[in-house]
Amino acid sequence: MCGIAGVLRAEPVHLAAAERDVARMVPTLAHRGPDGSATWSDGWVSLGHTRLSIIDLSDLGCQPMHTADERFALVFNGEIYNYRELRSELQSLGHRFRSQSDSEVLLAAYREWGERAMEKLNGMWAFAIWDRERQQLFASRDRAGKKPLYYATAPDGALYFASEVKALRAVGFRFGINPQAAFDFLAQGTYGHLGASGFFDGVLQLPAGCSMTIRPGAPPVITRYWDLPVVREQDRAPYDDAFRARFRELFTDAVTLRLRSDVPVGATLSGGLDSSAIVTVVNEITGGAPMHLFTSVYPGREIDETPFFEAVVARVARPIVHYCEPSRDGWVEQLVQVVDHQEEPFGDTSILAHFSLMRAAREAGVPVVLSGQGGDELMLGYPAMVTAYLGHLVARGQLPRALREIRAWGAGGARSDWGTALRAAYHALPLRVRDIARRGAVRSMAAITSPALRAQASWRRFADREGRSSFDSYLAQLFTRFSIPHLTHYDDRNAMAFGVEGRMPFLDYRLVELMFGARYEALYSGGFTKRVLRESLSDLLPPLVRDRRDKVGFYTPLGDWMRANAEWVGGFMTRERIEHMALVDWAEFDRQWHALRRGAPSAALAVWRPLILHLWADRFDVTPLARPVRHTAGMAAAAEPLAVVAGDRA
């Protein structure tokens, strides 16, 4: 787990000039790798690395790493969890290793199998390998997009890449704002879904599950090596004892692989089903070894999950518990810190609570933390997913079963059968009808956006079905375009802000493929979500947690915190600033801000989204919407900084 940066030039330059840019980029990534840094160049390419030592703490694991004949050079951010198995296979093929690191295994795997090596890797990664013989750069990103890789092209044709955008800014890149991303965020609260593009106009991100090959002066050639399986409903695996056994086997192995580390490993624990499953499985795997657990607590609030948390802790042989109580004290300072690390706007302040957990992990000397992120997306964990599934049953003509499940869902808490039925009926409508309804809802929510922004953004549906059923397409888009990209982004940036490695067992690709090929009754039945998780681990989970049916998100009191910091919010969100950026309608924002200060809870997000968007734009000196970005002349290695034309695409 580290930070990487590099430059591939259209023409080779003197080594001193080649190293200059990477030397400016690497310090901006020091938080990602606090244990060391280095650069290397051969004139065509310059590579930089900051190291977080997790596996093989010796100097033999340092990067940039080279093969013995110096043909290949690697910079790598992430972990290859199955590196021991791959190492044994490669040794049988004649490879010899100097270190115990997964980085050297990755380098040898690429040398042996080339691009096909990606199919053998189980882990999270973003890396680049320079082949001096063929004079080409190969870069890749893991299947779920846990590790980031940004890139941009300078006017002289040089391609710059890095783990974070701030490294690109360090060498003079300046960016405008992507109007589609700004519109989708303000009108719908969606972000992290734009694939190669993002909030910055002028920088791209290698999509998850993709690799790219780049030759000097030529555009990248991007290939997809993995995608979610497309399985017809009638071909899905039956839900039976064999399936439950297979799920438990894969889940246990996914956790086991993610315990591989030469430094302490801990876990976040909320009291929810997913994190509880991970903690109880870890306890079983390790035979009750001491375990660091990190949790957010909210004493006196309805969302307090302390009873569930304590039930899990009681199952752990030797827990070491770290409590974090999110507070509005220092809220503005922490908000600015999080924006600086996230490098994009985000949906609410729950990310601040997670930020505090990662800080606590570093302070406790635990640089590896497992979390339950991704379980909801795999197993219908959100109420909206359940109602979409109920609509799927109605659309398939299974009305008696749908009615039984609607009643069962309502029995699980404060849910109206009538309200659930209406939402299910909506999801049963043809896609074209739902799209009309969605457009109407978006137009209503878009009142907060400026006319200039609305003129530059589309009201499009985000993706076609890609050969899937309507419901399966919905689940796939959550994984590839919305929820998972958001989770992986914020988890990586928050953890790496403190030099902590976040690992997500539920995103093990084998588990993902299993669940996307499962019959839906493995996900939901009888009012219970995550059926296979509950039933396959029933002997490990405390009954209080196993049988709970409520869903508590990563809550923070957003409206309360903004009201408590009203002086700062009002002072920052001035009419002058809002009209200068040309993203938000001032009159509508002012109306919502006054409503929030009077206590209207419905106004919280209408204030928050413009606030965080403008704070992001301010921190990264983003060009206002109405003003095009222009670039100055000069080479990337020159003393004068570069800029990028808004809308440039590598």
Side-chain angles (χ1 to χ4, degrees):
M1 185 71 73
C2 310
I4 65 173
V7 185
L8 177 62
R9 293 171 181 81
E11 298 290 341
V13 298
H14 189 274
L15 287 181
E19 292 176 351
R20 190 178 305 152
D21 281 342
V22 171
R24 292 158 67 187
M25 298 168 78
V26 165
T28 68
L29 304 173
H31 52 283
R32 300 185 70 92
D35 299 326
S37 64
T39 62
W40 172 85
S41 179
D42 76 346
W44 280 105
V45 69
S46 299
L47 303 175
H49 186 262
T50 64
R51 185 183 185 194
L52 175 62
S53 301
I54 300 295
I55 296 174
D56 189 347
L57 310 186
S58 75
D59 289 345
L60 293 175
C62 289
Q63 299 178 42
M65 182 177 286
H66 305 263
T67 53
D69 62 0
E70 298 190 351
R71 173 181 171 180
F72 297 98
L74 164 75
V75 284
F76 164 44
N77 168 30
E79 298 289 353
I80 306 303
Y81 301 126
N82 64 332
Y83 74 100
R84 294 177 185 171
E85 292 78 8
L86 290 174
R87 178 189 176 97
S88 296
E89 184 177 355
L90 288 162
Q91 284 176 325
S92 71
L93 295 172
H95 290 264
R96 298 293 177 262
F97 295 90
R98 293 168 292 178
S99 74
Q100 298 298 316
S101 72
D102 59 328
S103 304
E104 190 178 8
V105 171
L106 172 60
L107 195 52
Y110 180 74
R111 176 161 203 156
E112 179 67 32
W113 297 303
E115 296 185 28
R116 293 185 297 110
M118 303 309 101
E119 301 168 11
K120 291 178 170 285
L121 304 181
N122 188 341
M124 54 181 177
W125 68 82
F127 67 81
I129 295 177
W130 172 244
D131 184 339
R132 300 181 78 173
E133 182 177 301
R134 300 181 65 184
Q135 289 191 345
Q136 72 175 28
L137 189 74
F138 177 81
S140 181
R141 193 161 173 234
D142 65 78
R143 296 172 180 86
K146 181 68 167 65
K147 306 311 297 177
L149 187 62
Y150 295 97
Y151 63 99
T153 304
D156 66 351
L159 184 138
Y160 289 68
F161 65 89
S163 297
E164 297 183 7
V165 175
K166 57 177 61 69
L168 301 176
R169 286 178 46 78
V171 290
F173 281 92
R174 294 295 180 267
F175 303 111
I177 188 168
N178 182 336
Q180 189 65 57
F183 176 81
D184 290 342
F185 178 71
L186 289 170
Q188 302 179 85
T190 54
Y191 49 108
H193 64 280
L194 294 176
S197 54
F199 281 88
F200 292 101
D201 198 8
V203 63
L204 297 175
Q205 185 168 198
L206 181 62
C210 290
S211 300
M212 66 179 180
T213 303
I214 319 151
R215 293 184 179 275
V221 177
I222 296 177
T223 57
R224 175 165 292 282
Y225 66 86
W226 183 84
D227 205 349
L228 291 174
V230 179
V231 184
R232 296 183 305 171
E233 194 163 351
Q234 61 268 33
D235 296 331
R236 291 173 174 267
Y239 183 63
D240 52 20
D241 288 343
F243 185 89
R244 284 186 285 272
R246 180 59 175 159
F247 177 89
R248 179 160 178 158
E249 176 190 15
L250 282 181
F251 182 67
T252 301
D253 192 57
V255 174
T256 301
L257 289 178
R258 284 157 183 79
L259 291 175
R260 290 179 171 176
S261 171
D262 294 332
V263 297
V265 179
T268 56
L269 176 61
S270 66
L273 195 60
D274 302 330
S275 62
S276 298
I278 288 172
V279 168
T280 54
V281 167
V282 169
N283 185 65
E284 181 184 48
I285 292 169
T286 63
M291 189 186 317
H292 289 269
L293 302 175
F294 301 89
T295 187
S296 295
V297 293
Y298 301 88
R301 291 188 177 271
E302 292 182 4
I303 50 81
D304 185 26
E305 292 188 278
T306 301
F308 304 101
F309 170 85
E310 291 177 344
V312 177
V313 171
R315 290 288 183 104
V316 177
R318 289 186 284 173
I320 305 169
V321 182
H322 305 267
Y323 296 96
C324 300
E325 184 177 345
S327 170
R328 70 186 187 189
D329 297 335
W331 184 77
V332 174
E333 292 79 5
Q334 188 181 48
L335 183 63
V336 171
Q337 286 181 342
V338 174
V339 170
D340 286 349
H341 283 288
Q342 289 293 318
E343 297 192 327
E344 70 174 29
F346 44 90
D348 57 51
T349 49
S350 64
I351 289 180
L352 274 67
H354 182 262
F355 190 77
S356 297
L357 289 178
M358 297 302 100
R359 186 198 304 273
R362 170 49 72 176
E363 291 173 349
V366 183
V368 177
V369 177
L370 276 60
S371 77
Q373 302 282 27
D376 287 317
E377 287 72 16
L378 288 186
M379 296 174 288
L380 300 194
Y382 298 113
M385 299 172 76
V386 174
T387 53
Y389 171 61
L390 297 175
H392 169 76
L393 293 178
V394 173
R396 289 300 176 96
Q398 301 178 44
L399 189 58
R401 182 180 173 188
L403 292 175
R404 287 196 304 271
E405 293 292 1
I406 288 171
R407 287 193 292 270
W409 182 242
R415 305 184 183 101
S416 162
D417 288 358
W418 179 244
T420 300
L422 285 177
R423 287 188 290 273
Y426 166 78
H427 283 285
L429 294 171
L431 187 61
R432 63 182 182 277
V433 177
R434 278 184 281 150
D435 195 44
I436 293 171
R438 187 197 66 83
R439 286 171 178 253
V442 171
R443 289 183 185 278
S444 175
M445 293 185 290
I448 197 72
T449 63
S450 70
L453 183 60
R454 291 195 293 272
Q456 296 187 46
S458 77
W459 305 77
R460 72 215 182 341
R461 199 171 64 242
F462 290 109
D464 295 324
R465 291 187 180 183
E466 301 171 339
R468 303 176 186 271
S469 70
S470 178
F471 180 64
D472 193 41
S473 176
Y474 166 73
L475 297 181
Q477 289 187 51
L478 281 176
F479 193 92
T480 60
R481 296 174 179 268
F482 300 109
S483 188
I484 292 298
H486 155 57
L487 292 177
T488 55
H489 180 104
Y490 94 68
D491 187 276
D492 172 81
R493 304 319 189 277
N494 275 356
M496 295 309 295
F498 301 102
V500 172
E501 178 171 298
R503 298 179 175 181
M504 300 177 173
F506 281 105
L507 295 187
D508 187 298
Y509 78 96
R510 300 167 301 167
L511 205 58
V512 171
E513 291 176 349
L514 178 73
M515 297 311 298
F516 270 87
R519 293 191 183 171
Y520 298 136
E521 53 263 37
L523 313 179
Y524 172 85
S525 180
F528 287 93
T529 62
K530 307 178 185 178
R531 181 183 181 187
V532 64
L533 184 64
R534 298 174 193 269
E535 295 182 356
S536 65
L537 300 178
S538 61
D539 59 318
L540 298 181
L541 292 165
L544 184 66
V545 174
R546 183 194 63 214
D547 299 334
R548 67 181 300 193
R549 291 202 273 180
D550 59 322
K551 172 63 183 174
V552 177
F554 210 156
Y555 168 87
T556 51
L558 175 61
D560 292 348
W561 283 356
M562 285 193 290
R563 280 188 290 269
N565 293 274
E567 184 176 351
W568 175 80
V569 174
F572 181 79
M573 292 296 286
T574 62
R575 180 170 186 167
E576 179 183 17
R577 181 186 301 276
I578 289 175
E579 292 183 345
H580 174 69
M581 290 304 300
L583 301 169
V584 167
D585 182 85
W586 159 254
E588 179 62 16
F589 174 81
D590 190 52
R591 185 181 73 82
Q592 296 286 355
W593 174 227
H594 280 85
L596 179 64
R597 295 190 68 178
R598 291 193 300 269
S602 60
L605 287 177
V607 172
W608 168 260
R609 291 172 186 169
L611 169 65
I612 200 67
L613 181 64
H614 282 82
L615 182 59
W616 163 78
D618 180 75
R619 297 298 296 175
F620 289 91
D621 192 27
V622 175
T623 304
L625 186 69
R627 299 182 181 182
V629 182
R630 301 186 183 278
H631 68 80
T632 57
M635 296 295 290
E640 292 299 318
L642 288 175
V644 173
V645 178
D648 269 4
R649 291 292 179 264

